[in-house]
Structure formats: C-alpha cells, structure tokens
Amino acid sequence: MELPAIVALADQHGRKATLAAVRAAVERIRARGAGAPARETSVESLVQEIGSILAGTPRRLRRVVNGTGVVIHTNLGRAPVAAIAASRAVELAASYSNLELDLATGRRGDRQSLLVDLLCRMTGAEAAMVVNNGAAAVLLGLAALCPRREVVVSRGEAIEIGGGFRIPEILRLSGARLVEVGTTNRTRVSDYLEACSDRTAAFLRVHQSNFRMEGFVQRPAVAELARAAHERGVLLLEDVGSGLVPPPTPAGAAEDRLSASSAAGVDLIFSSGDKLLGASQAGLVMGRGPLVEKMRRHPLARALRPDKLQLAVLEETLLCYEAPGRLAEIPVWRMLNSSPGELRARAERWALTLTARGVDAEVVPLEGAVGGGTTPGPALPSHGVLITTAQPGAARRLLLRGDPPVLCLERATGVAVDARCVLPEEEGVLLSALSAAFGGAA
Ligand SMILES: *Cc1c(COP(=O)(O)O)cnc(C)c1O
C-alpha cells in the first residue's frame, strides 16, 4: 500500500477498493504457486494487475440492452428518454440554473410553476404541478384535499400496482378514510351515490394498470361519475397511471386519457412521467386551480418535490409532444409505433450479420408488450432473432454478464432478442455481444 504506484491508485479509486484489489492480486499470485515464472511475480506485474482489477470495477448502475420487447420495463428503469432531453439534463446538471429564480423579476421563483403552462396547454387543465413520481402525486392529492374525510373507491379499483403501491394503504397513509363500494367486477354510479354523506370528500377512480377484467364487468364512464360527484358537491379524482398525452399511438390509444379525463370534468388527474409518456420519473398533477394550489401549499409537497434533472427531461419531452415532427425523437413513442414490417427488416439485417460471424441465428416472430403496469391487454406483434443453443438458461445468464449486459428472452431451443426496444445506436454493441457469446468460425 505504500508503493508510490499503489498510493496513486488509491488516490483515484479510494483506499478501501485499492486494498481489496491488492489482496485479490496477491491471492492470484499465491494460487499460481511457487513455480510461476519470475516475470509473473515481479512488483511491476503486481501493480499492473492491481491497476487492471481496479479499472474493471463495474458501476452498480449500468446501461443494459433491452431485448425483451417490453417497452416500459420497470426492472430496466422504465422509459429511455429522448437524446435531446438527456442532453438538457446533462447541461443543467453541470451548471447552476434558474430552478427557483424568476428571471423576469429577479425574485425567488417556484420550481412547481416551471412546467405548468406546457401541461395545461396539452391537457386543457386549468392548473398543474409536478412531484417526484406518480405515487407521490396520489399521496399528496389525498393528503391535501381529503384529510380525515371519506374517499369512495370501487372494489374493482382498490388495487396494487406493484412495488408496494396499494390504493388502500396510500389512502390510510394520507389521512383519508377509504370507503369501498360496488363489487370486484361491477360498480355503478348509484353505488358511489349511496356511499356519499357529509363526511365524503371525493370519489377516487383508479386505472387498473396491470390487470384486465373481462366478461361480466361494469364501471361508470368518467363523465357520468364526474356529474354525480359534482351534484353531491364532492370531488372526482382520477389516478390514470400511465396517461399518454396525444397524439395517441396505435398501441397506446386506450391510454390517451389525460385530455379525455380533463374534458370529462375530472377535478384532479394524477399520472406517471416515465411510463407511456416516455419522460423522466415524475408525478404529474393536472386539474382545477384552487385544488392544485392546496397541494402546493401542503407541507408534504416539499418532501415530494422533483429535482431539476427530472424537470429538464420532462420539459424537453413535453415540447417534443407539441411538435408532430419531433414525436419520433421520443424513444417510447418510436418503439410503440414500429411496424412489424420494420422490425422484421431490422431482425433480417441482424441475422445476416450474425450468420456471417458464425452464429446460428434466424429471424422469428415474437410478441412484446407495452409493460410497466400500463396497458395489460394487447401484445405487440414483433420480430427478432433466435440464436440456437443447447443451454438457453446458461446463455441468457452469459448475456447478462456481458458488456453491455443484454436482457434477452429464453426459448426452448435458444435465446431470442426482440428488435423493438433495441435503440438504433445499440445495434453495433448488441451484435458484437452476441457474436462474442455465440460466434464460431469468424
Ligand atoms: C404506475 C402507477 C402508479 C405509480 O406511479 P409511479 O410513477 O410508479 O410512482 C400509480 N397509479 C397507477 C394506476 C399506476 O399505473
């Protein structure tokens, strides 16, 4: 540890990591045994070995190639954001910004007011705010608007999204009281009305994000529920989950709910930023001015506020939505709108390259998904390459340990990579990773 070369390494990598690398290198030398040639046990080679151990220390958070065909993959960080949005975040991360400074007056500003105009313009809402994520938006809304009062929820919508987000628990945590109405499969407007009393603050409607009920099912239309709520003088709140902003995509048409809900008279809408919207992690709140104002003034707002990088990405993504010519810059939008024909052509190119490099690859039809607790319904017909191998499980794990790691699909006869979610700039490294793992001749 006192050798000048090691001191220099400790300066770059930290004493603890360097000490661990020294121990690992010494262990390797011991394992090679006393008979190893002198050149392998010299101080220079030892220092070199320690240096390469340290240089190879992987970061915990790494770029991963998504070969699963699942567009919003929560394990993979949900939406990749537009390159332009990412570069805005980089620019603002490395400098000061006017996050809470009003440049017109020189006075203190409010980060919550930064994206209000954009969100209102897009959804037709009167007011808006941004918090850290979708769950935070629901929690803050209930805490600010319904404390110690009753909130009526359909039994079919008292759901769990995953990752511990359960509507009944969020309600309890917010200080509101849950009143469940209807049945799992059918809830009518009259069920909400019968539960309504002077203790009621709101009806809460929740998008059944990650499951679908079919058959003998019924839930009121949003506009109908809004009318009923307003007749009784209570609020209608809606957690739309994913909430794509128009123009709708073929795959996401059913998710085009923000403006629709706004137009139908919902008082307050909550939505996620990093699902179908394809932006940063964020919770969007859109609705009536006085309600949003109450949320902004609630003490929890400070605890749930978004940071400047989230806001930078969100702003740039929303601007892409406003310009039809820029929609294709949003990766999620592009992936959802890739036709099976385009995907097949891409997979054919990959198969040609891989075959030329000695990999046993062929084009296969696959089925992807929107994913991420968004639209549980339709599969996304897609194409990709299937690489034949005797041990698909081992092959899948091998690709995960590669650089970059590739997440693929395990099939009976091999592993498959769906073309939909592979970014264009990743094609080269993907094909190299696949050839390195499975290449024979070339
Ligand atoms: C995903 C989702 C949430 C949680 O949003 P996050 O941004 O993940 O916090 C809440 N409600 C619904 C209906 C969802 O689909």
Side-chain angles (χ1 to χ4, degrees):
M1 291 302 290
E2 285 170 15
L3 285 175
I6 303 289
V7 171
L9 284 173
D11 191 44
Q12 291 304 307
H13 299 276
R15 197 184 137 79
K16 283 181 186 153
T18 306
L19 186 57
V22 168
R23 289 191 172 129
V26 169
E27 275 308 310
R28 280 190 204 172
I29 286 177
R30 287 202 180 112
R32 283 201 287 263
R39 121 185 93 73
E40 282 191 18
T41 52
S42 70
V43 170
E44 292 77 40
S45 73
L46 185 60
V47 169
Q48 211 167 37
E49 189 152 352
I50 293 161
S52 69
I53 291 173
L54 285 167
T57 306
R59 296 291 183 266
R60 169 61 187 81
L61 202 51
R62 296 170 68 191
R63 177 175 197 150
V64 171
V65 178
N66 178 5
T68 64
V70 179
V71 179
I72 309 295
H73 201 305
T74 297
N75 295 166
L76 300 183
R78 292 198 182 154
V81 304
I84 174 102
S87 67
R88 289 283 292 144
V90 169
E91 182 191 338
L92 285 159
S95 70
Y96 293 106
S97 65
N98 62 331
L99 183 65
E100 292 192 359
L101 174 70
D102 185 339
L103 294 174
T105 63
R107 296 227 180 82
R108 182 172 183 160
D110 181 355
R111 72 175 73 197
Q112 298 296 356
S113 66
L114 289 175
L115 300 181
V116 170
D117 294 349
L118 264 173
L119 286 168
C120 291
R121 205 153 67 210
M122 280 170 66
T123 59
E126 188 179 296
M129 80 182 281
V130 182
V131 292
N132 185 52
N133 59 8
V138 180
L139 175 64
L140 178 60
L142 292 170
L145 306 173
C146 316
R148 290 176 299 282
R149 300 189 61 208
E150 292 180 357
V151 174
V152 183
V153 180
S154 158
R155 286 204 163 81
E157 297 175 8
I159 57 174
E160 169 169 331
I161 305 298
F165 183 84
R166 290 177 145 189
I167 288 294
E169 286 171 10
I170 293 284
L171 256 150
R172 201 172 320 124
L173 189 62
S174 75
R177 293 201 195 97
L178 169 67
V179 176
E180 284 186 48
V181 296
T183 59
T184 304
N185 56 332
R186 287 172 77 96
T187 304
R188 304 181 184 84
V189 171
S190 57
D191 295 318
Y192 287 88
L193 290 176
E194 276 159 29
C196 204
S197 72
D198 55 7
R199 296 181 301 276
T200 309
F203 297 164
L204 172 65
R205 195 179 157 88
V206 184
H207 184 41
Q208 298 165 326
S209 287
N210 45 10
F211 70 103
R212 191 166 49 160
M213 292 198 295
E214 280 174 55
F216 194 55
V217 294
Q218 180 186 354
R219 66 199 294 234
V222 188
E224 201 186 345
L225 198 55
R227 262 196 311 278
H230 298 155
E231 269 165 26
R232 292 300 178 93
V234 304
L235 301 172
L236 176 60
L237 314 177
E238 186 179 21
D239 174 7
V240 300
S242 194
L244 185 71
V245 166
T249 67
E255 296 280 341
D256 174 17
R257 303 165 62 93
L258 296 186
S259 325
S261 291
S262 190
V266 175
D267 295 293
L268 213 50
I269 305 165
F270 311 116
S271 154
S272 240
D274 57 357
K275 292 184 182 170
L276 281 182
L277 193 63
S280 45
Q281 174 184 303
L284 315 184
V285 180
M286 291 136 297
R288 292 208 284 116
L291 304 179
V292 173
E293 193 48 40
K294 259 189 166 165
M295 288 179 66
R296 286 161 67 127
R297 283 205 307 263
H298 192 277
L300 259 184
R302 171 64 176 75
L304 303 176
R305 73 183 187 185
D307 89 324
K308 60 181 175 177
L309 306 186
Q310 287 172 289
L311 292 172
V313 169
L314 189 57
E315 178 175 36
E316 206 57 41
T317 310
L318 292 177
L319 286 170
C320 289
Y321 274 105
E322 287 209 317
R326 296 188 59 197
L327 276 169
E329 290 182 36
I330 305 167
V332 167
W333 191 90
R334 217 171 45 224
M335 289 169 188
L336 290 172
N337 286 281
S338 305
S339 70
E342 277 168 59
L343 296 168
R344 178 163 13 95
R346 237 177 135 193
E348 276 162 5
R349 272 191 285 115
W350 296 358
L352 275 179
T353 307
L354 290 169
T355 310
R357 296 184 192 169
V359 180
D360 186 359
E362 60 178 320
V363 177
V364 286
L366 294 167
E367 272 200 349
V370 179
T374 53
T375 340
L380 296 176
S382 183
H383 279 86
V385 288
L386 176 73
I387 295 163
T388 303
T389 155
Q391 294 183 315
R396 188 177 58 82
R397 289 189 294 277
L398 179 70
L399 287 176
L400 270 185
R401 288 195 305 267
D403 186 25
V406 175
L407 193 60
C408 63
L409 302 161
E410 202 174 313
R411 291 286 179 266
T413 55
V415 291
V417 177
D418 189 311
R420 187 182 301 272
C421 306
V422 176
L423 300 169
E425 65 271 23
E426 289 172 343
E427 285 192 6
V429 289
L430 169 67
L431 296 178
S432 304
L434 294 175
S435 341
F438 306 108

